[in-house]
Amino acid sequence: MFAALGDETRLSLLARLCDGQRYSIAALTEGTKLTRQAVTKHLRVLERVRIVHATRDGRQSLFTFDPQPVIEMKEYLELVSKQWDVALARLKTFVENDQD
């Protein structure tokens, strides 16, 4: 997921998708210097990490943002952060008590 979000183009696509609307590739390409093929490639990367979902509407695919994987990653990172806080607090206590 971090690799997928580490690209500026993909982040700009997500920024457009975050409003909850469904967008076609043509709509996402509009106003950019990207080709439809480039936008499609970036959207497929985001689909692989489940951040974006495509649905068919006639002949076109419509893309939407799914925040759930991002929420799950945020929760995981918060857990890891708390674990590090506890470990660092233990280390601090150990170091301070060892100097007495």
Side-chain angles (χ1 to χ4, degrees):
M1 182 179 302
F2 291 116
L5 295 175
D7 182 89
E8 187 176 323
T9 301
R10 289 191 282 273
L11 284 177
S12 68
L13 287 170
L14 276 180
R16 292 191 65 191
L17 291 167
C18 280
D19 66 2
Q21 301 295 317
R22 299 183 327 157
Y23 288 92
S24 67
I25 293 170
L28 291 169
T29 304
E30 200 172 287
T32 71
K33 295 179 181 181
L34 299 170
T35 64
R36 293 173 80 155
Q37 292 80 9
V39 169
T40 301
K41 177 184 162 193
H42 286 293
L43 289 169
R44 298 296 177 223
V45 171
L46 294 171
E47 272 189 304
R48 280 196 298 273
V49 294
R50 302 178 307 127
I51 298 173
V52 168
H53 294 287
T55 54
R56 297 292 294 174
D57 185 20
R59 293 178 55 193
Q60 65 182 350
S61 292
L62 297 176
F63 293 85
T64 55
F65 171 65
D66 180 3
Q68 191 58 40
V70 177
I71 292 167
E72 291 170 5
M73 183 58 66
K74 178 182 177 277
E75 291 170 353
Y76 172 73
L77 291 174
E78 287 172 349
L79 173 67
V80 170
S81 177
K82 287 177 186 174
Q83 291 172 342
W84 273 105
D85 289 344
V86 169
L88 290 173
R90 282 195 320 258
L91 177 62
K92 180 181 178 200
T93 300
F94 175 77
V95 169
E96 289 173 348
N97 289 338
D98 192 46
Q99 292 180 1
D100 293 335

